[in-house]
Amino acid sequence: MNKLLDTIKNRRSTFPGQFGDGKIDQDRILQLLEAARWAPTHKMTEPWRFVVFGPDSVAEFIDELIKAYNKKFKESERSPIKLKKLAKRKQQVSHIIAIIMHRDPEERLPEIEEVAAVACAAQNIYLMMDVLDIVGYWGSGFAYSEHMRQFLKLQDDDVCLGYFFLGCKDHDAPIPERKRKDLEAFVSWYGEN
Ligand SMILES: Cc1cc2nc3c(=O)[nH]c(=O)nc-3n(C[C@H](O)[C@H](O)[C@H](O)COP(=O)(O)O)c2cc1C
């Protein structure tokens, strides 16, 4: 028995259609952010930044995503199904957390190391969600768009890695199966071991 491995293996992305009713309280959101800030960080740059949209501002955020979508696609190319699905999130989602890499102003590290640190912080959030009966997923749709960059007031060297769309757990919902390749598919051993 290895509790941490179980937690890691049981972590799931859950999409808004499977969210339960209700809104997440502020205390649990703070616990997610507390977990995030204990991620590893080279030279202590702590490059993670988060913008939290609560129940009063989720609709505004979704409207901006829809604007980003409409800017990307001509009217004839837009999918009414996709747009309807996006709009529905205004009711389904409790909170959205934008995951942002804020570049060290002195650029003491290559950018990839700062992105890596923010991804570690995001994984801490993912793992913490399960403990707090929060469900959701990390979505990157339009995260790199100029429209969303401006909405989030990013500085030139900042990068938005995506957003957590969060809701309350529906305890009756089935836990989706996930698969990963076996170790042999991605590990090679150097020497005899
Ligand atoms: C950087 C990153 C971006 C992602 N962007 C999306 C996305 O835009 N849409 C989506 O449906 N899932 C997105 N995901 C979540 C993956 O779909 C999900 O992790 C994958 O299906 C495996 O499922 P699991 O997280 O439950 O193991 C993203 C995950 C990562 C790490």
Side-chain angles (χ1 to χ4, degrees), residues 147-160:
H147 182 85
M148 293 308 285
R149 288 185 60 84
Q150 283 184 16
F151 174 61
L152 292 168
K153 300 188 174 62
L154 297 193
Q155 296 178 17
D156 284 350
D157 292 336
D158 294 353
V159 178
C160 177

Side-chain angles (χ1 to χ4, degrees), residues 11-13 15 126 137-141 178 180:
R11 181 205 56 76
R12 287 287 177 286
S13 295
F15 300 97
Y126 244 135
Y137 82 104
W138 177 350
S140 49
R178 294 280 189 267
R180 292 293 189 269

Side-chain angles (χ1 to χ4, degrees), residues 47-48 99-102 113-123 138 161:
W48 38 79
I99 310 158
I100 294 160
M101 184 280 291
H102 174 61
E113 296 200 16
E114 309 226 79
V115 172
V118 178
C120 291
Q123 171 72 346
W138 177 350
L161 274 62

Side-chain angles (χ1 to χ4, degrees), residues 3-13 31-33 35-36 39 119-138 164 166 169 180:
K3 264 181 94 174
L4 179 58
L5 188 58
D6 284 346
T7 307
I8 290 168
K9 284 184 166 183
N10 291 331
R11 181 205 56 76
R12 287 287 177 286
S13 295
Q31 289 186 64
L32 294 182
L33 300 167
C120 291
Q123 171 72 346
N124 281 3
I125 290 181
Y126 244 135
L127 292 173
M128 197 68 182
M129 280 157 51
D130 193 48
V131 179
L132 299 171
D133 273 354
I134 295 172
V135 290
Y137 82 104
W138 177 350
F164 274 111
L166 302 173
K169 188 171 188 154
R180 292 293 189 269

